[in-house]
Amino acid sequence: MGLLSDPSISTHNKLVDSLAKHMRKLCYVFYTAGVAWFMCLALPEFNHGTYLSENALSPGLVYPEIRIDANRLALQLLEELQRERKDHQSTTPHAWIMAKFNEFGLETYTHNFTLRYPFGGGKEFHGKNVYGILRAPRIGSTEGLVFSAPYRPPNSVHDEITASVPVLLAFADFARRKNYWAKDLVFLVTEQEQLGMQAWLEAYHDGYKNYHSSSAYLVAGSLPARAGSLQAALNIEVQDLEVDYVDVKVEGLNGKLPNLDMFNLVQRIMAREGVTSGYKHAPRKRRRMNLSPYEQNLRQMLSMLATQATGVPNGNHGLFHRYRIDALTLSAAKRVTNSNVKSNPSSATVPLLKSIEGISRSLNNLLERFHQSFFFYVIVHNDRYISIGDYMPALVALIACSFVKAYLSWSTLDAAERHAQQDAAGNETDPVVFSMKLSLPYGFVLVYLVVTLVIGYMGNVLPLQKYLMELSIGAGPLTLTMLIALNVAGIALPFYVVLPPGGLELLHICMLLIYGCALIVIGLLNFSLGFLVAALSVPMVVALNPSSRNGALRGLARLWALLLNPMVVIYTVVLVLTFYEFPELTFQQLLLRAVAAVMDAVTFALIDSVIYGNWLYFAACTVFFPLWIICWTLALAKQSDNEISHAKLKIN
């Protein structure tokens, strides 16, 4: 019976032991397969052509009804608005916009909101939105569509998009003359960029919850009137009535995207009207690059991943997604022409207005929300995409490294003790084999994990404490100082806390499991963020081995861990972007400007977290930073001979 119960001759143990000997190679095979899979997705054989899954979107493809008189109205409104802007250098001409809404026969209302600035020490900022509702003549107010345009005053630091409001008003004048609308049309003009849109959406859906709240930073207020349940939204940003091309923006809050059918609909209607459009479209000069189709597709994929990973919406449309409202932005760029070539301004905006009409008629015909096409995808080209079923295997292959290593490490945890016991007993089998797994310091490791989590979580709450805000320093230096202090605490923690024998191995296995589970969850919510983090950190995680005696490998793991510190990664990214934007700066000026940019970046990330609900800052502090502290602990750890002999004494 001893032979039957001896685990040393088990086929499973032999297989695990053989795999454990090549554990690092096996993990790197998974890593290489994941990266190679992602790179292959840029090839036409691995992606798909776009198509419309919802047949109800077809009415927008019929012959449009907007005529040239709508363009004349837009020109007239733009001239009037330019005169109004001279008297409103830093504010919005609400009275003029309301007068035009009333003139076109819309139900006109205003919406007031208040921002309690988190770092303002009690300061409040007030804003006002103007919106008009065109009630559906054929049905009750059960569903609605939103057409929005942000207004920027003359002193705004952003690009001028004054023509957005005249285009919106011209379309509103056209829409109120038609009787085929089955949904309420809401025409919204917001101010304060995304803040006004966020306040309006909160007031529309659940504004009554925080209207009297004393702890809310954004007091959304209440709306005097509402339309039906919002089905879709179209945000319009027009730099000039003479349009060169339209950049279709889809990235939303926390990396959410509109249904792929909506993007495909916009592309088809724009192509029908002869408007040059596309995802991340660039001017003609920038498009003239000697790149192969594969390189262009790969650049497009990486560009989308970089934008989506930040979780910051690149337009007002991105705030609709959290309420399950599909939305995107049409960003029309100004046409730059030769001074000797004269264009015809009397018809320059007609194709764009016809495109908006076609999109609105298609959305008006929807019987239910978008649901037939994909919500998770990567745009390779304007007419090519990658679905979630195609790109998720790349992320799964990367994350599999941590689970494979965790399983093999746990399975072989007491292998050395088992072999040592067999040698001491003269190869005589004993049915009762001592297992190191039973004597591991589970409680101590659990406390250590909690301590790292608390250190990371403090980054979310410390900068917002009132007694710290009263200090005579700005929001940027305060937030950066708190984060640097927490980083110092995380770096110093392994030098002051010594784990008992077996603690490093158990901490290593726990880190691998937590790391893999965290990236799976993040990858499902925001694939771009999960994939980029995995691509950067998996090689370091694979290289970590607290029981290794290879000095070169341990030194490489420590260097890699230090470079992947969240603050180091943020500073490196900002430094590269600063060099790209300001190549004329000297090296010293570049370093100082990057520090100032990092202060602004972390402050804005914290503000986005508490106002808009962007969870990138929270994930960086509560997930990534504690994991980094554990990796740093394992990289610095060195199992001494005393610990090894102590473990052997426990076995004997």
Side-chain angles (χ1 to χ4, degrees):
M1 295 301 294
L3 291 175
L4 296 178
S5 61
D6 184 9
S8 62
I9 62 175
S10 172
T11 306
H12 174 265
N13 285 334
K14 292 182 178 180
L15 178 62
V16 170
D17 291 342
S18 60
L19 290 177
K21 294 179 182 179
H22 306 283
M23 178 170 54
R24 189 174 293 110
K25 296 179 181 179
L26 181 63
C27 291
Y28 283 132
V29 168
F30 275 101
Y31 179 82
T32 305
V35 175
W37 182 278
F38 181 80
M39 300 288 286
C40 290
L41 293 177
L43 296 172
E45 294 80 7
F46 289 84
N47 49 59
H48 310 280
T50 58
Y51 57 92
L52 287 178
S53 302
E54 181 60 75
N55 294 327
L57 298 174
S58 301
L61 300 174
V62 301
Y63 188 75
E65 299 181 8
I66 282 188
R67 297 294 179 263
I68 198 171
D69 55 343
N71 188 87
R72 297 194 188 100
L73 177 61
L75 286 172
Q76 177 185 345
L77 293 173
L78 180 58
E79 293 176 358
E80 295 180 12
L81 182 56
Q82 293 289 7
R83 290 194 296 267
E84 290 289 334
R85 287 169 61 86
K86 296 179 181 179
D87 299 329
H88 300 81
Q89 292 294 321
S90 59
T91 58
T92 303
H94 302 102
W96 182 84
I97 298 175
M98 293 179 62
K100 293 303 175 183
F101 277 160
N102 286 321
E103 180 182 344
F104 297 150
L106 305 180
E107 298 180 15
T108 306
Y109 307 96
T110 60
H111 165 237
N112 299 298
F113 61 91
T114 302
L115 171 66
R116 298 167 180 166
Y117 188 57
F119 301 100
K123 292 182 180 180
E124 294 185 352
F125 301 91
H126 303 278
K128 179 187 293 187
N129 299 321
V130 180
Y131 67 101
I133 302 177
L134 177 63
R135 299 293 179 180
R138 303 178 58 184
I139 196 173
S141 297
T142 57
E143 296 179 345
L145 303 174
V146 177
F147 298 89
S148 65
Y151 178 82
R152 295 172 182 170
N155 62 353
S156 175
V157 298
H158 301 282
D159 295 334
E160 182 182 352
I161 53 173
T162 310
S164 305
V165 176
V167 170
L168 181 71
L169 293 174
F171 176 69
D173 178 68
F174 164 80
R176 59 108 177 182
R177 303 175 188 272
K178 305 301 177 181
N179 62 355
Y180 49 66
W181 301 113
K183 295 177 174 59
D184 293 342
L185 303 186
V186 181
F187 300 93
L188 172 64
V189 179
T190 61
E191 65 177 12
Q192 305 296 338
E193 299 300 327
Q194 296 179 6
L195 190 64
M197 180 61 74
Q198 175 70 14
W200 190 85
L201 286 171
E202 287 189 10
Y204 194 94
H205 291 89
D206 51 7
Y208 62 91
K209 295 181 181 179
N210 61 4
Y211 182 64
H212 299 288
S213 176
S214 58
S215 59
Y217 292 106
L218 180 61
V219 182
S222 60
L223 296 181
R226 290 177 173 81
S229 175
L230 302 182
Q231 304 295 301
L234 186 67
N235 186 53
I236 303 171
E237 298 179 0
V238 183
Q239 296 182 3
D240 191 79
L241 295 183
E242 298 186 22
V243 178
D244 182 19
Y245 63 90
V246 174
D247 180 18
V248 183
K249 300 178 180 179
V250 297
E251 289 89 355
L253 183 66
N254 294 324
K256 293 184 178 180
L257 300 171
N259 191 272
L260 186 59
D261 264 349
M262 190 170 185
F263 174 79
N264 296 336
L265 171 69
V266 171
Q267 284 297 104
R268 291 199 176 192
I269 293 180
M270 290 285 181
R272 184 198 64 183
E273 300 301 333
V275 179
T276 304
S277 67
Y279 173 73
K280 288 190 179 296
H281 215 66
R284 290 186 176 89
K285 292 183 179 180
R286 292 179 57 184
R287 295 200 298 267
R288 296 171 183 172
M289 297 181 296
N290 296 324
L291 297 177
S292 64
Y294 173 79
E295 293 174 332
Q296 294 179 6
N297 293 344
L298 186 60
R299 286 169 61 95
Q300 184 90 314
M301 293 168 53
L302 295 177
S303 177
M304 183 172 184
L305 261 62
T307 305
Q308 194 178 5
T310 62
V312 179
N314 55 356
N316 286 357
H317 70 279
L319 301 175
F320 284 87
H321 298 161
R322 66 185 303 178
Y323 296 99
R324 184 57 183 87
I325 303 172
D326 295 282
L328 51 77
T329 291
L330 302 181
S331 180
K334 180 180 180 180
R335 178 179 299 168
V336 180
T337 59
N338 192 339
S339 58
N340 298 326
V341 179
K342 295 183 179 181
S343 59
N344 185 13
S346 62
S347 60
T349 322
V350 173
L352 179 60
L353 288 171
K354 288 183 178 180
S355 300
I356 297 175
E357 177 199 354
I359 297 171
S360 63
R361 294 188 64 178
S362 292
L363 299 177
N364 178 67
N365 197 56
L366 281 176
L367 300 178
E368 52 190 341
R369 296 180 184 271
F370 284 100
H371 67 281
Q372 293 200 18
S373 190
F374 296 96
F375 290 95
F376 300 93
Y377 53 88
V378 176
I379 298 177
V380 181
H381 196 263
N382 293 333
D383 57 351
R384 308 289 297 181
Y385 76 99
I386 305 169
S387 67
I388 184 174
D390 294 325
Y391 64 66
M392 280 304 292
L395 180 61
V396 171
L398 297 183
I399 300 176
C401 300
S402 63
F403 289 110
V404 170
K405 187 177 181 182
Y407 172 74
L408 295 178
S409 299
W410 175 258
S411 300
T412 59
L413 192 59
D414 55 355
E417 286 76 4
R418 185 172 63 248
H419 296 320
Q421 189 177 17
Q422 291 175 358
D423 294 340
N427 291 329
E428 295 181 1
T429 59
D430 187 355
V432 181
V433 181
F434 179 82
S435 177
M436 180 183 176
K437 300 174 183 177
L438 300 178
S439 61
L440 292 176
Y442 295 97
F444 198 96
V445 172
L446 179 61
V447 172
Y448 194 86
L449 293 175
V450 172
V451 170
T452 59
L453 183 62
V454 170
I455 293 176
Y457 183 74
M458 294 300 289
N460 293 280
V461 297
L462 278 182
L464 297 175
Q465 297 300 316
K466 294 183 179 180
Y467 62 88
L468 291 176
M469 294 181 188
E470 296 176 356
L471 300 176
S472 58
I473 57 177
L478 173 63
T479 306
L480 185 61
T481 302
M482 292 294 102
L483 294 180
I484 292 177
L486 293 175
N487 268 268
V488 172
I491 293 174
L493 183 64
F495 295 97
Y496 292 95
V497 179
V498 179
L499 295 175
L504 290 176
E505 290 78 2
L506 181 60
L507 182 65
H508 184 208
I509 295 173
C510 292
M511 184 275 297
L512 292 172
L513 295 176
I514 296 173
Y515 172 84
C517 293
L519 285 187
I520 285 179
V521 174
I522 293 175
L524 290 175
L525 297 175
N526 188 341
F527 166 78
S528 302
L529 179 61
F531 182 81
L532 292 179
V533 171
L536 291 175
S537 58
V538 164
M540 178 199 68
V541 172
V542 173
L544 286 176
N545 188 359
S547 60
S548 174
R549 302 230 174 164
N550 189 333
L553 183 61
R554 298 180 64 84
L556 179 61
R558 292 174 183 176
L559 177 61
W560 206 321
L562 190 61
L563 293 177
L564 288 183
N565 179 280
M567 292 302 298
V568 176
V569 172
I570 294 174
Y571 184 79
T572 303
V573 172
V574 172
L575 183 64
V576 172
L577 294 177
T578 305
F579 174 75
Y580 180 77
E581 294 291 336
F582 306 98
E584 70 279 0
L585 295 178
T586 63
F587 184 71
Q588 184 177 3
Q589 293 174 337
L590 195 66
L591 295 178
L592 295 177
R593 185 179 285 268
V595 171
V598 167
M599 286 193 297
D600 294 338
V602 295
T603 305
F604 292 151
L606 178 59
I607 293 175
D608 287 347
S609 175
V610 299
I611 294 179
Y612 300 105
N614 188 337
W615 48 260
L616 176 63
Y617 183 89
F618 178 83
C621 292
T622 313
V623 179
F624 298 143
F625 185 51
L627 284 173
W628 180 86
I629 296 177
I630 300 174
C631 292
W632 178 247
T633 303
L634 297 173
L636 291 179
K638 183 178 181 182
Q639 195 175 33
S640 62
D641 295 335
N642 294 332
E643 293 180 357
I644 299 176
S645 61
H646 179 71
K648 290 182 178 181
L649 288 175
K650 290 183 65 178
I651 298 172
N652 297 330

